């Protein structure tokens, strides 16, 4: 089977599936390496074009993903699908490249306080750490995505000025990140604020280079997403089954569930190339591995309807 490729029009939304990374990094249940591999392989069969596979961060900081190298080495990479991984520094880049990673993501925040807790560095210092990663990636032909966290609020600082979000996004883009994902890490945003934030960033970084990343702590993620689609974003991060959260953002729940995002997008006449039934089945399978119900409303509804 050949995977659908994105048509060159505004009707296609590329979903960046972050469940295996953002989802599993914060789950209390220790997921077996074989199950992580099975999750990614199942996701690959749904037609998703980007699957963030794991994270080469310090295993002391995120023990849940200490098996990143084993996971990445064991997955079946589908031609046409990208499998980016998180790297915080050159050590992470070396570990990732040693197992054949071809796309990485660096991450910083719009809030100094959050960045310090998350990666033990100021925003400036984190960007200095990324500089050699981006230089080496350019030489190696490795694509680099960039994340800006806390774009709609910070668990330590509270309000985050829009100007700070714009400045950090612009710096990552100027550094060579092909895409900047704007993260509402603690899921506190509401639609108007989300749309205003995206418009402000899009005035400085081209919209095709932007993605949105909503956690669903306050149940606003789908509403925020819709508001941002109306502003023109066409890349959306989501986690199957709504799994996870950030270990350094207390109380933050998982990302918006990919199943719910796909249902919304298809309902709006937008295309994703994703098989919703297969995805929902994968979300329910993951939930059984995590010992709980799926966090996707669509996943539950589809199961009840069959
Ligand atoms: P540090 O302790 O300041 O690092 O941590 P260091 O450079 O001083 O190194 C300390 C030790 O860690 C050394 O080992 C290093 O070799 C090792 P030792 O000499 O003590 O044996 N080390 C590493 N080991 C493996 N892989 C590495 C690595 N780097 C150093 N890459 C560091 C700094 C950045 C490493 C640490 O803070 C870290 O790993 N943080 C990761 C936190 C994290 O993963 N958070 C969640 C992801 S971000 C997120 O979820 C938000 C997002 O979803 C968007 C949104 O929602 O907003 C992306
Ligand atoms: Mg996140």
């Amino acid at each position: 089977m050949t995977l659908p490729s994105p048509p060159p029009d505004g009707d296609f939304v590329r979903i960046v599936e972050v469940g295996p990374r953002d989802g599993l990094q914060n789950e209390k249940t220790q997921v077996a390496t074989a199950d992580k591999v099975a999750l990614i392989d199942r996701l690959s069969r749904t037609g998703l074009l980007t699957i963030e596979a794991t994270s080469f961060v310090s295993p002391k900081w995120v023990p849940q993903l200490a098996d990143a190298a084993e996971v990445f080495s064991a997955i079946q990479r589908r031609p046409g699908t990208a499998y980016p991984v998180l790297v915080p520094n050159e050590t992470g880049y070396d570990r990732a490249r040693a197992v054949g990673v071809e796309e990485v993501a660096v991450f910083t925040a719009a809030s100094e306080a959050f960045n310090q807790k998350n990666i033990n560095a100021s925003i400036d210092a984190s960007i200095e750490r990324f500089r050699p990663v981006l230089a080496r990636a350019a030489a190696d032909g490795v694509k680099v995505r960039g994340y800006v966290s806390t774009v709609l609020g910070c668990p330590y600082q509270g309000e985050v000025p829009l100007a700070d979000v714009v400045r950090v996004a612009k710096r990552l883009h100027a550094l060579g990140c092909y895409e900047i994902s704007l993260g509402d890490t603690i899921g506190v945003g509401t639609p108007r604020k989300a749309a205003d934030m995206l418009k402000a960033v899009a005035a400085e970084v081209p919209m095709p280079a932007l993605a949105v990343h909503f956690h669903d702590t306050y149940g606003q993620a789908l509403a925020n997403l819709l508001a941002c689609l109306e502003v023109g974003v066409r890349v959306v991060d989501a986690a199957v089954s709504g799994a996870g959260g950030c270990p350094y953002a207390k109380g933050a729940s998982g990302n918006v569930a990919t199943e719910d995002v796909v249902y919304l997008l298809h309902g709006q006449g937008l295309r994703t190339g994703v098989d919703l039934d297969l995805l929902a089945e994968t979300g329910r399978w993951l939930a059984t591995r995590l010992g709980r119900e799926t966090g996707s409303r669509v996943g539950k509804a589809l199961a009840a309807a069959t």
Side-chain angles (χ1 to χ4, degrees):
M1 189 188 85
T2 48
L3 288 170
S5 49
D9 60 51
D11 284 350
F12 189 85
V13 175
R14 183 164 59 86
I15 294 177
V16 176
E17 168 59 52
V18 296
R21 192 280 302 171
D22 204 339
L24 299 189
Q25 76 183 7
N26 201 37
E27 287 293 338
K28 290 196 173 56
T29 313
Q30 185 56 47
V31 178
T33 304
D35 285 339
K36 292 175 182 172
V37 173
L39 170 64
I40 296 167
D41 288 346
R42 280 169 179 261
L43 290 168
S44 293
R45 292 194 282 272
T46 66
L48 283 159
L49 295 176
T50 310
I51 302 171
E52 200 171 66
T54 184
S55 184
F56 288 85
V57 294
S58 160
K60 285 183 201 133
W61 285 62
V62 182
Q64 289 92 333
L65 301 183
D67 57 358
E70 291 92 316
V71 170
F72 198 88
S73 302
I75 59 173
Q76 290 193 321
R77 285 189 268 167
R78 245 187 132 96
T81 301
Y83 298 89
V85 302
L86 238 55
V87 301
N89 52 20
E90 277 193 278
T91 309
Y93 184 80
D94 287 335
R95 290 177 58 214
R97 288 293 287 158
V99 290
V101 165
E102 284 168 0
E103 179 171 339
V104 299
V106 294
F107 54 106
T108 187
S111 141
E112 287 289 359
F114 177 79
N115 220 38
Q116 205 63 51
K117 299 267 186 196
N118 195 38
I119 53 174
N120 203 20
S122 66
I123 297 168
D124 280 350
S126 68
I127 288 177
E128 286 315 309
R129 279 180 192 166
F130 302 156
R131 227 176 264 286
V133 171
L134 273 125
R136 289 178 57 192
D140 295 343
V142 167
K143 287 172 79 179
V144 185
R145 193 172 200 245
Y147 279 102
V148 184
S149 286
T150 61
V151 298
L152 294 172
C154 168
Y156 309 104
Q157 169 185 320
E159 289 285 319
V160 175
L162 260 190
D164 294 351
V165 178
V166 174
R167 193 171 47 247
V168 177
K170 217 174 139 180
R171 284 181 77 182
L172 287 181
H173 190 244
L175 210 60
C177 294
Y178 78 96
E179 185 168 283
I180 311 299
S181 175
L182 302 164
D184 181 10
T185 319
I186 51 170
V188 288
T190 43
R192 192 186 295 178
K193 280 188 191 159
D196 287 348
M197 181 277 299
L198 178 62
K199 280 184 209 158
V201 178
E204 301 288 341
V205 179
M207 187 66 89
L210 295 177
V212 288
H213 178 110
F214 292 115
H215 286 261
D216 202 25
T217 320
Y218 286 81
Q220 305 296 303
L222 280 182
N224 293 343
L225 173 55
L226 187 56
C228 290
L229 287 167
E230 281 165 6
V231 174
V233 80
R234 288 294 178 270
V235 186
V236 174
D237 298 0
V240 68
S241 202
C246 178
Y248 296 97
K250 199 168 180 290
S253 70
N255 286 87
V256 61
T258 317
E259 301 90 312
D260 299 4
V261 170
V262 170
Y263 183 85
L264 170 80
L265 294 171
H266 291 180
Q268 293 295 103
L270 295 162
R271 285 169 298 143
T272 63
V274 175
D275 180 326
L276 179 57
D277 289 324
L278 259 186
L279 181 69
E281 200 183 297
T282 301
R284 292 191 297 269
W285 172 85
L286 174 60
T288 64
R289 311 320 286 172
L290 297 172
R292 56 171 162 73
E293 267 203 319
T294 177
S296 162
R297 300 284 292 269
V298 168
K300 278 184 211 161
L302 288 176
T306 52

